[in-house]
Amino acid sequence: MAVDELQAIIQRCQILEEADFKGEDFNLFQVAGQKCLEDGYAAQLLEVIQNEKNKVIIKNMGWNLISPLVRCIFMYKQEDDKREHCLRILDQLAQLCNPKELFLGLLEQIEQTSGEQVCQTVMLLLQPLQTVLLKLQNKKAYSVGLSLAMIMNQLTPLPVPYTKQQIQEDKLGLCQCCNAVVDFTKPFVNEVVKNMEKSSELNDVELKEELLKFCMKSLKYPLLTAQLEQLEGIEEHPFRHFATEIIDILWDIRELIPLVFLHRKGKSPHWENQEFADIEQKNSADSLACLSYLMFVQHFGVECFPVVFSPSYLLLYNMTHIGVLLKRTEESVLSKGLDLFESCLLRMEDNSLLRHYLEFRDFINVPQDLVKIMTLCPMEHLRKKSLNILQLFIDKFDTEGKYTLFRCLLKTSNHAGVEGYIIKNIKDQIHLALTKEYDNVWFTGHHLISLLDLVLSLPEGAETDLLQNSDRIMASLNLLRYLVIKDCESDTQTGVWITLGKIEQNFLKPLRVGLNMSKAHYEAEIKNKKENRKEAHGSNTVCSVTISGEKMPAMTTGMQLQVLHSALFTFDLIESVLARVEELIEVKTKAVMDEHS
């Protein structure tokens, strides 16, 4: 019945001129064709389409069959003959239909797909879409750009497989689809390459721009969040293959080096809305950062790379990209930022980076980003790695650079643990200055005295929260103990004996007062808890406790006592080092006075 209806419409249209086809004819053809497909008469429909007599009809009306055809292809199983007939119909339509009409029909189909069928639909329609685009003469560049933008917009919401198992399963088909899209672009890349030598026609320039936009989008998604390390058991890593192809396209259209070194972004539209302009700028920054990671960490396209740049220049060039990556929160992106930073630093010799590099904003901002990762990131391996990279960064600076960086980090980190770590580094640099033969003006004399003013102080005097600042305080006391032992009071190199009065006034005395107040407070708390527990006749009463201004989770009285005793232990530890420092100062001061008496 469906086939008869279709034949009737075909016979009616065969006697009409192309210009005489009416809207009603299109609708009847679409309904009858759709019914043939749904009723299982795909073979008969294929015969109608292949019939030379129907060429004009199919050219004008065939594109209407795309939507029902795609539905039927997904409905039939892989080995079903009807599916094979449907695929052949799709191929025939690509050959016979009006390219402009079919192009719009294919794009509409891609736009309407969603969820799990996105990748399947895109992969199904790539070949006919490519065939149609190659036939277009007018607005080819625009049409290629529109196709790639539509495809990438549909793929972007899909989650990127990250673990080895996810990549192997490729549940939604994203890995396979991305590489299919790259293959889809190859004829257009070849066209640009072929014409680059011969002319600078507007269409060729525009086609190149569209391919560049596609590469930039691909760098942001999926490559920015993709796992790109070599994985054991995966012979050809799909995302590594995709990355290689993207780098190859950029090289072929002569945009790789301009992108890497000139930060070329292609023709950006002028946005009247500032919000859109900011989004465009951020997307571009993400893409360029990913490109740097691919080149300098994974070494994609390294054979194209000019070997003329110093390690310090490469670090300077990459600091902006490192900053972009480290400001993200996703593990996959953060780890790329850390890897890129580490890779740049490992190229450099220790003590080779001059202080003036710290005049570049990124050289101050990036260490602060590292500090945030060290203190706030929930992933332990990234916290540890960021700490190691911070130390690597410190090691690369000359002594003036280290001095300047230490001052900056002490003022900006706002974290006692980080400040304690920096103070330990300061102690190591002072030790080197005192034990090496050559003069080191930055960690001795008046420069060091200025630095010690920052280190040997309490943020809020005697009322400083000693528990919260215990890491910094312990590091400061250990540094002071080292200086008192190592430096000679009669010929002081560090200046500690010259500024001792100030240190006692700003650090030691307030610390002693603060310790006494804190210990008294916590001892009183312990006494209260013990009395309350006796009154309650048990230790399982649940209540809350506040430590360093933060309310802790609900705890039993026994647990609270444990926490309070732990705080007292910390105070005892600080007090023992403080007592040792005071004793050393007293002994050395007395010895000097005895000498002069």
Side-chain angles (χ1 to χ4, degrees), residues 516-573:
N516 290 338
M517 289 195 309
S518 297
K519 286 181 75 173
H521 172 72
Y522 275 80
E523 282 165 355
E525 277 288 315
I526 288 170
K527 187 178 176 184
N528 285 340
K529 295 292 175 194
K530 284 180 176 176
E531 286 173 0
N532 291 341
R533 185 165 67 175
K534 283 177 188 174
E535 287 171 17
H537 302 293
S539 62
N540 290 325
T541 309
V542 177
C543 49
S544 63
V545 68
T546 300
I547 298 287
S548 298
E550 289 185 23
K551 198 170 183 181
M552 304 301 286
M555 294 187 285
T556 63
T557 306
M559 290 161 72
Q560 289 178 62
L561 283 168
Q562 228 175 338
V563 170
L564 294 168
H565 278 296
S566 176
L568 271 183
F569 176 77
T570 301
F571 297 144
D572 287 341
L573 201 60

Short mmCIF file of all heavy atoms in Angstrom, two decimals, residues 516-573:
data_model
loop_
_atom_site.label_atom_id
_atom_site.label_comp_id
_atom_site.label_asym_id
_atom_site.label_seq_id
_atom_site.Cartn_x
_atom_site.Cartn_y
_atom_site.Cartn_z
N ASN A 516 50.87 31.98 77.95
CA ASN A 516 50.32 31.90 79.32
C ASN A 516 48.79 32.02 79.30
O ASN A 516 48.08 31.27 79.97
CB ASN A 516 50.91 33.01 80.21
CG ASN A 516 52.40 32.75 80.50
OD1 ASN A 516 52.86 31.60 80.40
ND2 ASN A 516 53.14 33.80 80.83
N MET A 517 48.29 32.96 78.51
CA MET A 517 46.83 33.14 78.42
C MET A 517 46.16 31.91 77.80
O MET A 517 45.14 31.43 78.28
CB MET A 517 46.51 34.38 77.57
CG MET A 517 46.85 35.70 78.24
SD MET A 517 46.07 37.13 77.43
CE MET A 517 46.50 36.92 75.72
N SER A 518 46.76 31.39 76.71
CA SER A 518 46.17 30.25 76.00
C SER A 518 46.15 29.00 76.88
O SER A 518 45.15 28.28 76.94
CB SER A 518 46.94 29.95 74.71
OG SER A 518 46.85 31.04 73.82
N LYS A 519 47.27 28.77 77.56
CA LYS A 519 47.35 27.58 78.43
C LYS A 519 46.33 27.68 79.57
O LYS A 519 45.65 26.70 79.89
CB LYS A 519 48.77 27.43 79.00
CG LYS A 519 49.77 26.94 77.95
CD LYS A 519 51.16 26.78 78.53
CE LYS A 519 51.26 25.55 79.39
NZ LYS A 519 52.64 25.28 79.84
N ALA A 520 46.23 28.86 80.16
CA ALA A 520 45.29 29.05 81.26
C ALA A 520 43.86 28.81 80.77
O ALA A 520 43.05 28.14 81.44
CB ALA A 520 45.42 30.47 81.82
N HIS A 521 43.55 29.31 79.57
CA HIS A 521 42.21 29.16 79.00
C HIS A 521 41.89 27.68 78.76
O HIS A 521 40.82 27.19 79.14
CB HIS A 521 42.12 29.95 77.68
CG HIS A 521 40.86 29.69 76.93
ND1 HIS A 521 39.63 30.17 77.33
CD2 HIS A 521 40.63 28.97 75.79
CE1 HIS A 521 38.69 29.77 76.48
NE2 HIS A 521 39.27 29.05 75.52
N TYR A 522 42.82 26.97 78.14
CA TYR A 522 42.57 25.56 77.79
C TYR A 522 42.55 24.68 79.04
O TYR A 522 41.78 23.72 79.12
CB TYR A 522 43.61 25.06 76.79
CG TYR A 522 43.24 25.40 75.36
CD1 TYR A 522 43.46 26.68 74.85
CD2 TYR A 522 42.65 24.46 74.52
CE1 TYR A 522 43.11 27.01 73.56
CE2 TYR A 522 42.29 24.77 73.22
CZ TYR A 522 42.52 26.06 72.74
OH TYR A 522 42.16 26.37 71.46
N GLU A 523 43.39 25.00 80.02
CA GLU A 523 43.38 24.23 81.28
C GLU A 523 42.04 24.41 81.99
O GLU A 523 41.48 23.45 82.56
CB GLU A 523 44.55 24.66 82.17
CG GLU A 523 45.87 24.04 81.71
CD GLU A 523 47.08 24.73 82.34
OE1 GLU A 523 46.90 25.74 83.06
OE2 GLU A 523 48.21 24.26 82.09
N ALA A 524 41.51 25.64 81.95
CA ALA A 524 40.20 25.91 82.56
C ALA A 524 39.11 25.14 81.82
O ALA A 524 38.18 24.59 82.45
CB ALA A 524 39.91 27.42 82.53
N GLU A 525 39.21 25.08 80.49
CA GLU A 525 38.24 24.34 79.68
C GLU A 525 38.25 22.85 80.05
O GLU A 525 37.21 22.22 80.19
CB GLU A 525 38.56 24.50 78.19
CG GLU A 525 38.02 25.76 77.55
CD GLU A 525 36.51 25.74 77.38
OE1 GLU A 525 35.97 24.72 76.93
OE2 GLU A 525 35.86 26.74 77.73
N ILE A 526 39.47 22.31 80.20
CA ILE A 526 39.60 20.89 80.55
C ILE A 526 38.97 20.62 81.92
O ILE A 526 38.24 19.64 82.11
CB ILE A 526 41.09 20.47 80.53
CG1 ILE A 526 41.59 20.43 79.07
CG2 ILE A 526 41.29 19.11 81.20
CD1 ILE A 526 43.10 20.26 78.94
N LYS A 527 39.23 21.54 82.86
CA LYS A 527 38.68 21.39 84.21
C LYS A 527 37.15 21.40 84.17
O LYS A 527 36.48 20.56 84.79
CB LYS A 527 39.19 22.54 85.09
CG LYS A 527 38.82 22.39 86.56
CD LYS A 527 39.39 23.54 87.36
CE LYS A 527 38.94 23.43 88.82
NZ LYS A 527 39.39 24.59 89.63
N ASN A 528 36.59 22.34 83.39
CA ASN A 528 35.13 22.43 83.26
C ASN A 528 34.53 21.16 82.67
O ASN A 528 33.50 20.66 83.12
CB ASN A 528 34.74 23.62 82.37
CG ASN A 528 34.92 24.94 83.10
OD1 ASN A 528 34.95 24.97 84.33
ND2 ASN A 528 35.06 26.03 82.35
N LYS A 529 35.19 20.66 81.61
CA LYS A 529 34.67 19.46 80.94
C LYS A 529 34.67 18.26 81.90
O LYS A 529 33.73 17.48 81.92
CB LYS A 529 35.53 19.11 79.71
CG LYS A 529 35.50 20.14 78.59
CD LYS A 529 34.14 20.23 77.93
CE LYS A 529 34.10 21.36 76.90
NZ LYS A 529 32.74 21.68 76.49
N LYS A 530 35.76 18.16 82.66
CA LYS A 530 35.86 17.04 83.60
C LYS A 530 34.77 17.13 84.66
O LYS A 530 34.14 16.12 85.03
CB LYS A 530 37.24 17.01 84.25
CG LYS A 530 38.32 16.48 83.30
CD LYS A 530 39.68 16.46 83.99
CE LYS A 530 40.74 15.84 83.07
NZ LYS A 530 42.07 15.89 83.67
N GLU A 531 34.53 18.34 85.15
CA GLU A 531 33.48 18.51 86.17
C GLU A 531 32.10 18.23 85.59
O GLU A 531 31.26 17.58 86.23
CB GLU A 531 33.54 19.94 86.73
CG GLU A 531 34.72 20.16 87.67
CD GLU A 531 34.88 21.61 88.09
OE1 GLU A 531 34.05 22.46 87.64
OE2 GLU A 531 35.83 21.90 88.85
N ASN A 532 31.87 18.71 84.39
CA ASN A 532 30.57 18.47 83.73
C ASN A 532 30.34 16.98 83.49
O ASN A 532 29.23 16.47 83.60
CB ASN A 532 30.50 19.21 82.38
CG ASN A 532 30.42 20.72 82.59
OD1 ASN A 532 30.07 21.17 83.68
ND2 ASN A 532 30.74 21.48 81.56
N ARG A 533 31.45 16.28 83.17
CA ARG A 533 31.32 14.84 82.91
C ARG A 533 30.95 14.11 84.19
O ARG A 533 30.14 13.18 84.18
CB ARG A 533 32.62 14.30 82.32
CG ARG A 533 32.51 12.83 81.91
CD ARG A 533 33.63 12.39 81.02
NE ARG A 533 34.91 12.38 81.72
CZ ARG A 533 36.04 11.93 81.16
NH1 ARG A 533 36.04 11.50 79.92
NH2 ARG A 533 37.17 11.95 81.82
N LYS A 534 31.55 14.52 85.29
CA LYS A 534 31.22 13.88 86.57
C LYS A 534 29.75 14.08 86.91
O LYS A 534 29.07 13.17 87.37
CB LYS A 534 32.09 14.46 87.69
CG LYS A 534 33.52 13.92 87.69
CD LYS A 534 34.33 14.60 88.78
CE LYS A 534 35.81 14.20 88.67
NZ LYS A 534 36.64 14.96 89.62
N GLU A 535 29.28 15.30 86.66
CA GLU A 535 27.88 15.60 86.96
C GLU A 535 26.94 14.78 86.07
O GLU A 535 25.87 14.37 86.47
CB GLU A 535 27.60 17.09 86.75
CG GLU A 535 28.22 17.96 87.85
CD GLU A 535 28.11 19.44 87.51
OE1 GLU A 535 27.28 19.79 86.63
OE2 GLU A 535 28.84 20.24 88.14
N ALA A 536 27.38 14.55 84.83
CA ALA A 536 26.52 13.80 83.88
C ALA A 536 26.63 12.29 84.09
O ALA A 536 25.92 11.52 83.43
CB ALA A 536 26.92 14.16 82.44
N HIS A 537 27.56 11.84 84.96
CA HIS A 537 27.78 10.41 85.25
C HIS A 537 28.08 9.60 83.99
O HIS A 537 27.58 8.51 83.80
CB HIS A 537 26.55 9.80 85.97
CG HIS A 537 26.22 10.49 87.24
ND1 HIS A 537 27.04 10.47 88.34
CD2 HIS A 537 25.14 11.27 87.57
CE1 HIS A 537 26.50 11.18 89.31
NE2 HIS A 537 25.35 11.68 88.86
N GLY A 538 28.83 10.12 83.10
CA GLY A 538 29.21 9.37 81.89
C GLY A 538 29.95 10.27 80.93
O GLY A 538 29.92 11.48 81.05
N SER A 539 30.61 9.64 79.99
CA SER A 539 31.44 10.41 79.05
C SER A 539 30.86 10.44 77.65
O SER A 539 31.52 10.82 76.71
CB SER A 539 32.85 9.82 78.99
OG SER A 539 32.79 8.50 78.52
N ASN A 540 29.61 10.02 77.49
CA ASN A 540 29.07 9.92 76.12
C ASN A 540 28.12 11.07 75.77
O ASN A 540 27.41 11.01 74.78
CB ASN A 540 28.33 8.59 75.93
CG ASN A 540 29.33 7.44 75.90
OD1 ASN A 540 30.42 7.59 75.40
ND2 ASN A 540 28.92 6.31 76.47
N THR A 541 28.11 12.12 76.61
CA THR A 541 27.29 13.28 76.28
C THR A 541 27.84 13.93 75.02
O THR A 541 29.03 14.22 74.93
CB THR A 541 27.33 14.29 77.44
OG1 THR A 541 27.03 13.61 78.64
CG2 THR A 541 26.33 15.42 77.20
N VAL A 542 26.97 14.19 74.05
CA VAL A 542 27.43 14.78 72.79
C VAL A 542 27.20 16.28 72.80
O VAL A 542 26.12 16.76 73.12
CB VAL A 542 26.68 14.16 71.57
CG1 VAL A 542 27.11 14.83 70.28
CG2 VAL A 542 26.95 12.67 71.52
N CYS A 543 28.25 17.05 72.49
CA CYS A 543 28.12 18.50 72.40
C CYS A 543 29.18 19.01 71.43
O CYS A 543 29.96 18.25 70.89
CB CYS A 543 28.25 19.16 73.77
SG CYS A 543 29.67 18.58 74.69
N SER A 544 29.17 20.31 71.20
CA SER A 544 30.10 20.86 70.20
C SER A 544 31.21 21.64 70.89
O SER A 544 31.07 22.06 72.04
CB SER A 544 29.35 21.76 69.21
OG SER A 544 28.82 22.86 69.90
N VAL A 545 32.29 21.87 70.14
CA VAL A 545 33.43 22.63 70.67
C VAL A 545 33.95 23.52 69.56
O VAL A 545 33.85 23.20 68.38
CB VAL A 545 34.54 21.67 71.19
CG1 VAL A 545 35.19 20.91 70.07
CG2 VAL A 545 35.60 22.44 72.00
N THR A 546 34.46 24.69 69.96
CA THR A 546 35.01 25.63 68.98
C THR A 546 36.52 25.71 69.13
O THR A 546 37.02 25.95 70.23
CB THR A 546 34.37 27.03 69.17
OG1 THR A 546 32.96 26.90 69.00
CG2 THR A 546 34.92 28.01 68.15
N ILE A 547 37.24 25.48 68.00
CA ILE A 547 38.71 25.55 68.00
C ILE A 547 39.13 26.57 66.96
O ILE A 547 38.70 26.50 65.80
CB ILE A 547 39.35 24.18 67.66
CG1 ILE A 547 38.97 23.12 68.70
CG2 ILE A 547 40.85 24.29 67.52
CD1 ILE A 547 39.66 23.26 70.02
N SER A 548 39.96 27.52 67.36
CA SER A 548 40.47 28.54 66.44
C SER A 548 39.33 29.24 65.69
O SER A 548 39.41 29.52 64.50
CB SER A 548 41.43 27.91 65.42
OG SER A 548 42.53 27.36 66.07
N GLY A 549 38.24 29.49 66.42
CA GLY A 549 37.12 30.21 65.82
C GLY A 549 36.22 29.36 64.94
O GLY A 549 35.23 29.85 64.42
N GLU A 550 36.56 28.08 64.76
CA GLU A 550 35.74 27.21 63.90
C GLU A 550 35.02 26.18 64.76
O GLU A 550 35.61 25.53 65.61
CB GLU A 550 36.63 26.47 62.88
CG GLU A 550 37.15 27.39 61.80
CD GLU A 550 37.92 26.63 60.74
OE1 GLU A 550 37.67 25.41 60.59
OE2 GLU A 550 38.76 27.24 60.08
N LYS A 551 33.73 26.03 64.51
CA LYS A 551 32.93 25.07 65.25
C LYS A 551 33.21 23.67 64.73
O LYS A 551 33.09 23.41 63.53
CB LYS A 551 31.45 25.40 65.12
CG LYS A 551 30.58 24.73 66.18
CD LYS A 551 29.18 25.27 66.16
CE LYS A 551 28.36 24.64 67.28
NZ LYS A 551 26.97 25.12 67.28
N MET A 552 33.63 22.78 65.61
CA MET A 552 33.96 21.42 65.22
C MET A 552 32.68 20.56 65.21
O MET A 552 31.67 20.92 65.82
CB MET A 552 34.96 20.81 66.21
CG MET A 552 36.24 21.62 66.37
SD MET A 552 37.12 21.82 64.82
CE MET A 552 37.80 20.18 64.63
N PRO A 553 32.71 19.42 64.51
CA PRO A 553 31.54 18.53 64.52
C PRO A 553 31.20 18.09 65.95
O PRO A 553 32.06 18.10 66.83
CB PRO A 553 32.01 17.33 63.68
CG PRO A 553 33.14 17.83 62.86
CD PRO A 553 33.80 18.90 63.68
N ALA A 554 29.96 17.68 66.16
CA ALA A 554 29.51 17.25 67.49
C ALA A 554 30.38 16.11 68.00
O ALA A 554 30.69 15.18 67.27
CB ALA A 554 28.05 16.82 67.42
N MET A 555 30.85 16.24 69.27
CA MET A 555 31.75 15.24 69.85
C MET A 555 31.30 14.91 71.27
O MET A 555 30.69 15.73 71.95
CB MET A 555 33.19 15.78 69.88
CG MET A 555 33.81 16.02 68.53
SD MET A 555 35.56 16.47 68.69
CE MET A 555 35.44 18.14 69.27
N THR A 556 31.69 13.72 71.71
CA THR A 556 31.45 13.36 73.11
C THR A 556 32.42 14.16 73.98
O THR A 556 33.42 14.69 73.49
CB THR A 556 31.69 11.86 73.34
OG1 THR A 556 33.07 11.59 73.07
CG2 THR A 556 30.81 11.00 72.44
N THR A 557 32.14 14.21 75.26
CA THR A 557 33.01 14.94 76.18
C THR A 557 34.43 14.36 76.16
O THR A 557 35.43 15.09 76.20
CB THR A 557 32.44 14.89 77.62
OG1 THR A 557 31.09 15.37 77.59
CG2 THR A 557 33.26 15.75 78.57
N GLY A 558 34.52 13.04 76.06
CA GLY A 558 35.83 12.39 76.00
C GLY A 558 36.64 12.84 74.79
O GLY A 558 37.84 13.10 74.88
N MET A 559 35.97 12.94 73.64
CA MET A 559 36.64 13.39 72.42
C MET A 559 37.09 14.85 72.53
O MET A 559 38.18 15.23 72.10
CB MET A 559 35.70 13.22 71.22
CG MET A 559 35.46 11.77 70.83
SD MET A 559 33.97 11.58 69.82
CE MET A 559 34.50 12.31 68.28
N GLN A 560 36.22 15.66 73.16
CA GLN A 560 36.58 17.08 73.34
C GLN A 560 37.81 17.22 74.24
O GLN A 560 38.70 18.03 73.94
CB GLN A 560 35.40 17.82 73.99
CG GLN A 560 34.22 18.00 73.06
CD GLN A 560 33.08 18.69 73.78
OE1 GLN A 560 33.22 19.81 74.24
NE2 GLN A 560 31.96 18.00 73.92
N LEU A 561 37.86 16.41 75.26
CA LEU A 561 39.03 16.46 76.16
C LEU A 561 40.31 16.09 75.43
O LEU A 561 41.36 16.68 75.65
CB LEU A 561 38.80 15.52 77.36
CG LEU A 561 37.86 16.05 78.44
CD1 LEU A 561 37.47 14.94 79.41
CD2 LEU A 561 38.53 17.21 79.19
N GLN A 562 40.18 15.12 74.51
CA GLN A 562 41.33 14.72 73.71
C GLN A 562 41.86 15.88 72.87
O GLN A 562 43.06 16.14 72.79
CB GLN A 562 40.91 13.57 72.77
CG GLN A 562 41.88 12.40 72.80
CD GLN A 562 41.34 11.26 71.94
OE1 GLN A 562 40.15 11.16 71.67
NE2 GLN A 562 42.23 10.39 71.52
N VAL A 563 40.93 16.61 72.25
CA VAL A 563 41.29 17.77 71.42
C VAL A 563 41.95 18.85 72.27
O VAL A 563 42.97 19.44 71.88
CB VAL A 563 40.04 18.34 70.69
CG1 VAL A 563 40.35 19.66 70.02
CG2 VAL A 563 39.51 17.34 69.67
N LEU A 564 41.38 19.11 73.42
CA LEU A 564 41.92 20.15 74.31
C LEU A 564 43.31 19.77 74.80
O LEU A 564 44.21 20.62 74.89
CB LEU A 564 40.97 20.38 75.48
CG LEU A 564 39.60 20.99 75.11
CD1 LEU A 564 38.64 20.90 76.28
CD2 LEU A 564 39.77 22.45 74.67
N HIS A 565 43.53 18.51 75.12
CA HIS A 565 44.87 18.05 75.57
C HIS A 565 45.87 18.16 74.42
O HIS A 565 47.04 18.50 74.65
CB HIS A 565 44.80 16.60 76.07
CG HIS A 565 44.31 16.49 77.49
ND1 HIS A 565 45.02 17.01 78.56
CD2 HIS A 565 43.20 15.91 78.02
CE1 HIS A 565 44.37 16.77 79.68
NE2 HIS A 565 43.24 16.10 79.39
N SER A 566 45.42 17.89 73.20
CA SER A 566 46.29 18.01 72.03
C SER A 566 46.74 19.46 71.85
O SER A 566 47.90 19.74 71.53
CB SER A 566 45.54 17.53 70.78
OG SER A 566 46.31 17.73 69.62
N ALA A 567 45.80 20.41 72.07
CA ALA A 567 46.14 21.84 71.98
C ALA A 567 47.17 22.21 73.04
O ALA A 567 48.15 22.93 72.76
CB ALA A 567 44.89 22.68 72.14
N LEU A 568 46.97 21.71 74.25
CA LEU A 568 47.94 21.98 75.33
C LEU A 568 49.32 21.44 74.99
O LEU A 568 50.34 22.06 75.29
CB LEU A 568 47.45 21.35 76.64
CG LEU A 568 46.55 22.20 77.54
CD1 LEU A 568 46.22 21.46 78.82
CD2 LEU A 568 47.23 23.53 77.88
N PHE A 569 49.34 20.26 74.34
CA PHE A 569 50.62 19.66 73.94
C PHE A 569 51.34 20.59 72.95
O PHE A 569 52.56 20.78 73.02
CB PHE A 569 50.38 18.29 73.31
CG PHE A 569 51.63 17.65 72.78
CD1 PHE A 569 52.55 17.05 73.63
CD2 PHE A 569 51.91 17.66 71.41
CE1 PHE A 569 53.71 16.47 73.14
CE2 PHE A 569 53.06 17.08 70.91
CZ PHE A 569 53.98 16.49 71.78
N THR A 570 50.58 21.18 72.01
CA THR A 570 51.17 22.12 71.04
C THR A 570 51.75 23.32 71.77
O THR A 570 52.86 23.78 71.46
CB THR A 570 50.09 22.58 70.03
OG1 THR A 570 49.58 21.43 69.35
CG2 THR A 570 50.67 23.54 69.00
N PHE A 571 51.02 23.86 72.73
CA PHE A 571 51.52 25.01 73.51
C PHE A 571 52.80 24.64 74.26
O PHE A 571 53.74 25.44 74.34
CB PHE A 571 50.46 25.51 74.49
CG PHE A 571 49.21 26.02 73.82
CD1 PHE A 571 47.96 25.82 74.39
CD2 PHE A 571 49.27 26.70 72.61
CE1 PHE A 571 46.80 26.28 73.78
CE2 PHE A 571 48.12 27.16 71.99
CZ PHE A 571 46.88 26.95 72.57
N ASP A 572 52.83 23.43 74.83
CA ASP A 572 54.03 22.97 75.56
C ASP A 572 55.23 22.89 74.62
O ASP A 572 56.36 23.23 75.00
CB ASP A 572 53.78 21.61 76.21
CG ASP A 572 52.85 21.70 77.40
OD1 ASP A 572 52.70 22.81 77.95
OD2 ASP A 572 52.25 20.67 77.78
N LEU A 573 54.97 22.42 73.40
CA LEU A 573 56.04 22.31 72.40
C LEU A 573 56.60 23.69 72.06
O LEU A 573 57.83 23.90 72.03
CB LEU A 573 55.47 21.64 71.14
CG LEU A 573 56.46 20.98 70.18
CD1 LEU A 573 57.24 19.87 70.86
CD2 LEU A 573 55.70 20.43 68.97
#
